[in-house]
Amino acid sequence: MRKLLFILILIGLAFSCNTTIERKSSELPTVSNLAQWPNVVMYEIFVQSFVDSDGDSIGDIKGMMSKLDYLQDLGIKGIWLMPIMPSPSYHKYDVTDYYNIHPDYGDLDIFKEFVQEAHKRDIKVVIDMIINHSSNQHPWFLDSKSGENTEKRDYYIWANDEEIRRFSTHEKKITGDSGNLTQWHEAEDNDKKFYGFFTGMMPDLNFDNPKVRQEVVTIGKFWLEEVGVDGFRLDAAKHIYEDSRVKDNQEWWKVYRSELEAFKPDNYLVGEVWDNSEFVAPFLHGLPALFNFDLAFSMLESIKREKSVSAYISKHSWEVDDSTTFEAGYKKNQAIYLNETEDYHDAIFLSNHDQNRILSVLDRDINKGKLAASMLLTMPGTPYLYYGEEIGMLGMKPDPNIREPFLWKDAQNDTERAKWINSEYSLESTVDPLSRQMEDSLSIFNHYKSLIRIRNTSKALSFGDFTQANYGNSSVISYYRKKDNEQLLIIHNLSDRHISIQLKDTDAGLTNTLFSTWGETVKNRQIDLEAYSSIILN
Ligand code: CA
């Protein structure tokens, strides 16, 4: 009953604020060309679940191409595609052919056309590059396991039981990720076992073999030069060598970067190094963009706890440090990065294909989802949206359920919807399809769209620095973003209650509202912010 009352109040608010928000939107410049690659908003796509163009139930490149106008209109200027190469698995993180497109998705010709069409719309294309391991059905591995003296034997890591034992006492004779014996797998007709960090379906490539290093550079060259992509997202980037060889891992990425930059100087590399900022920072020399996991969990935990806290990746998952505010934690991590290099592009996100969907984590509360978006899209770096995040798609592990089909229209009209899986979370009873949300000025979709538009038209949001503003109490997050003459003050109310904030004397000039969740404005230097609401002032 209380929930119903709350919803009714929200509906009332929605109607009362409707006109304000629409008026605000129309005042914005229509040309959004201030954001520049790679300081742009990116969009991660699982092709299989995005758009099905031919009715075979599986999303494909042709379908995705038909949505480039949609992405352009949303303000997206870069796409990260989850794996598109041939693979026996639905997720395709185990490749059997590094020079082709999975037949379910299309072929190289249609993909080249897709890249060209994206470029026409000022959208860059970054593809997942899985080189830590291949599929166990890759011809290299089939050759490698066929005998001890075959041509590709040393493309992978083989060891007998004694060598594995020695490895587990940390003598480091063999390349692998840990002494965990379950990561060594048996292969038929082989006395030795092979190393596969994730599973036996994914044998790790042997990066101590110069031929392997050359192969993966040649693969990169092919996609950059022949196909025309703009860069790669490097999967499992911390696992190239075993954990004890962290320096070797960092050195390898420097080599990879310089090899690729030799024939494409503006090549973009974004790495997945799932760890805390201190561990991640030294990787920036080889991978100048790295996903900021600490920031992702700091945003989520602050929203969940309705309190400004920082979080960091720990040994098993992540931990919360509630004695350090979100803002202070961010500054601390930024300092760790800057201490390493200024030449980096922070890759920021709320969730990705490996994590429960953001709105499921936030109790399916659309207002908290909007708050999360407001935080993500006002922080420095390159924000990554996970497809469907903009319509509030839901999903909890196991993995296929965080990768469910995008809901374009109501089911009876949705010929483009992929159907390779029966969705359990993102159903029409739980998520409004895009077509309905487009018509609703207060939908989460229009919230995302407005924020992206503002970010794209703001130098301060796209490139500006970040300083703490220290407003309000522990349930408020506030910061300045500044670039040249443009200064913004951003305030988020994390609490479930309305709050009043008095602007400081030094901020008295910040009276214009660039954006606010419910149409709030400044009156006599006072801001009344609704629950889970955000405001951007200039
Ligand atoms: Ca299809």
Side-chain angles (χ1 to χ4, degrees):
M1 190 61 203
R2 202 168 145 246
K3 201 164 184 180
L4 181 67
L5 191 66
F6 182 62
I7 290 168
L8 286 173
I9 291 169
L10 282 183
I11 292 170
L13 261 173
F15 279 106
S16 66
C17 300
N18 202 351
T19 48
T20 318
I21 286 178
E22 281 180 351
R23 185 170 52 77
K24 275 282 154 215
S25 299
S26 62
E27 282 171 6
L28 293 166
T30 50
V31 181
S32 51
N33 55 5
L34 285 176
Q36 280 174 14
W37 172 260
N39 288 76
V40 300
V41 182
M42 299 279 295
Y43 192 90
E44 178 190 0
I45 298 177
F46 180 41
V47 180
Q48 176 132 332
S49 279
F50 201 50
V51 189
D52 176 16
S53 73
D54 57 6
D56 71 351
S57 83
I58 298 171
D60 47 59
I61 290 161
K62 199 175 166 195
M64 189 166 59
M65 193 151 65
S66 72
K67 296 299 178 187
L68 282 169
D69 287 338
Y70 162 69
L71 294 174
Q72 184 185 29
D73 188 50
L74 181 57
I76 301 299
K77 291 179 182 293
I79 295 170
W80 154 26
L81 297 178
M82 284 168 64
I84 53 175
M85 298 170 201
S87 161
S89 63
Y90 88 93
H91 53 68
K92 303 180 178 38
Y93 276 99
D94 44 344
V95 174
T96 50
D97 179 358
Y98 285 102
Y99 295 92
N100 225 322
I101 300 286
H102 195 289
D104 286 348
Y105 288 1
D107 57 26
L108 272 174
D109 286 340
I110 189 84
F111 185 64
K112 285 179 188 171
E113 195 182 331
F114 170 80
V115 174
Q116 287 164 7
E117 288 297 317
H119 287 170
K120 277 186 202 165
R121 291 163 179 80
D122 195 24
I123 296 173
K124 303 278 186 183
V125 179
V126 173
I127 62 168
D128 231 309
M129 183 59 82
I130 302 97
I131 53 178
N132 173 70
H133 52 265
S134 73
S135 162
N136 66 345
Q137 294 170 45
H138 192 287
W140 293 342
F141 188 73
L142 297 180
D143 179 81
S144 182
K145 75 170 190 179
S146 68
E148 299 217 1
N149 299 308
T150 62
E151 193 193 340
K152 302 288 195 275
R153 181 66 172 183
D154 293 333
Y155 272 39
Y156 297 87
I157 303 143
W158 295 90
N160 61 32
D161 287 341
E162 198 206 323
E163 288 167 321
I164 293 169
R165 267 195 301 279
R166 271 198 288 137
F167 174 77
S168 68
T169 59
H170 299 284
E171 287 190 16
K172 318 301 181 233
K173 298 286 187 209
I174 300 159
T175 304
D177 218 271
S178 76
N180 184 347
L181 297 185
T182 61
Q183 290 171 333
W184 293 94
H185 309 276
E186 290 184 1
E188 67 225 38
D189 302 327
N190 269 275
D191 295 333
K192 294 190 173 183
K193 292 173 178 157
F194 68 92
Y195 188 79
F197 175 69
F198 292 103
T199 75
M201 314 282 281
M202 300 176 171
D204 281 41
L205 284 161
N206 176 14
F207 277 77
D208 282 328
N209 182 348
K211 286 183 184 167
V212 167
R213 296 159 76 110
Q214 188 53 53
E215 291 272 14
V216 299
V217 169
T218 306
I219 292 163
K221 190 169 189 266
F222 169 79
W223 288 92
L224 293 172
E225 285 193 336
E226 303 277 317
V227 185
V229 302
D230 301 284
F232 305 118
R233 178 262 183 185
L234 283 313
D235 184 56
K238 71 181 265 200
H239 297 302
I240 295 297
Y241 296 102
E242 72 260 30
D243 288 351
S244 60
R245 294 173 63 185
V246 176
K247 284 260 181 267
D248 289 345
N249 274 324
Q250 293 160 1
E251 285 303 311
W252 154 250
W253 291 117
K254 281 199 249 179
V255 171
Y256 185 69
R257 179 184 181 181
S258 70
E259 293 267 5
L260 296 187
E261 282 180 352
F263 44 82
K264 187 169 168 46
D266 62 345
N267 173 45
Y268 173 82
L269 300 179
V270 58
E272 178 205 25
V273 178
W274 178 288
D275 217 308
N276 58 53
S277 299
E278 274 170 13
F279 184 93
V280 165
F283 280 83
L284 290 169
H285 300 287
L287 298 169
L290 285 161
F291 289 107
N292 195 331
F293 289 95
D294 281 350
L295 176 63
F297 292 116
S298 297
M299 289 190 281
L300 289 193
E301 288 296 335
S302 293
I303 296 168
K304 276 163 68 178
R305 288 161 191 249
E306 305 195 357
K307 184 183 176 195
S308 174
V309 295
S310 62
Y312 57 94
I313 301 282
S314 64
K315 199 170 180 189
H316 301 295
S317 54
W318 69 92
E319 285 178 38
V320 173
D321 171 6
D322 67 1
S323 65
T324 305
T325 64
F326 171 85
E327 299 94 315
Y330 177 78
K331 284 304 276 185
K332 192 175 124 200
N333 289 341
Q334 195 185 38
I336 292 169
Y337 276 26
L338 285 171
N339 189 43
E340 205 64 54
T341 174
E342 287 186 13
D343 173 28
Y344 75 89
H345 299 284
D346 204 5
I348 65 174
F349 65 100
L350 294 168
S351 72
N352 64 27
H353 65 280
D354 283 328
Q355 292 160 281
N356 291 330
R357 279 194 177 267
I358 177 79
L359 212 56
S360 287
V361 176
L362 298 177
D363 311 322
R364 302 189 173 196
D365 185 330
I366 292 283
N367 292 308
K368 289 184 188 173
K370 287 183 176 177
L371 174 59
S374 304
M375 290 178 73
L376 175 72
L377 291 164
T378 53
M379 291 297 288
T382 303
Y384 278 73
L385 312 188
Y386 179 43
Y387 82 93
E389 188 180 306
E390 77 276 26
I391 58 167
M393 276 176 61
L394 301 168
M396 302 280 277
K397 287 193 176 228
D399 287 344
N401 296 109
I402 55 180
R403 304 166 183 171
E404 291 179 349
F406 191 100
L407 304 175
W408 294 101
K409 294 176 185 163
D410 292 308
Q412 64 270 28
N413 301 317
D414 202 348
T415 52
E416 298 169 315
R417 192 186 301 182
K419 296 182 185 72
W420 66 275
I421 182 178
N422 285 322
S423 297
E424 286 183 28
Y425 290 90
S426 291
L427 308 162
E428 277 170 57
S429 53
T430 52
V431 178
D432 276 343
L434 175 70
S435 60
R436 265 192 258 158
Q437 294 203 29
M438 280 179 151
E439 305 302 317
D440 173 7
S441 67
L442 292 167
S443 64
I444 192 164
F445 167 76
N446 276 313
H447 182 84
Y448 266 90
K449 192 174 173 184
S450 299
L451 279 164
I452 295 169
R453 197 171 172 193
I454 286 163
R455 188 179 180 96
N456 283 344
T457 52
S458 164
K459 270 192 188 177
L461 287 178
S462 294
F463 312 105
D465 54 20
F466 172 105
T467 47
Q468 303 176 59
N470 302 316
Y471 268 98
N473 52 40
S474 63
S475 61
V476 168
I477 287 177
S478 60
Y479 43 90
Y480 302 104
R481 300 290 315 279
K482 188 171 190 299
K483 180 71 180 173
D484 303 332
N485 296 326
E486 186 188 358
Q487 177 165 357
L488 307 178
L489 169 61
I490 296 141
I491 304 175
H492 307 285
N493 176 10
L494 306 176
S495 77
D496 62 355
R497 287 180 294 271
H498 152 274
I499 56 165
S500 289
I501 290 171
Q502 194 71 28
L503 280 182
K504 297 174 194 174
D505 290 348
T506 45
D507 292 335
L510 299 171
T511 53
N512 182 49
T513 305
L514 197 56
F515 175 87
S516 59
T517 308
W518 292 105
E520 297 99 324
T521 54
V522 185
K523 289 187 188 96
N524 302 323
R525 284 168 61 178
Q526 183 171 309
I527 308 158
D528 292 304
L529 270 185
E530 295 302 327
Y532 310 127
S533 186
S534 306
I535 191 164
I536 307 175
L537 300 174
N538 67 359

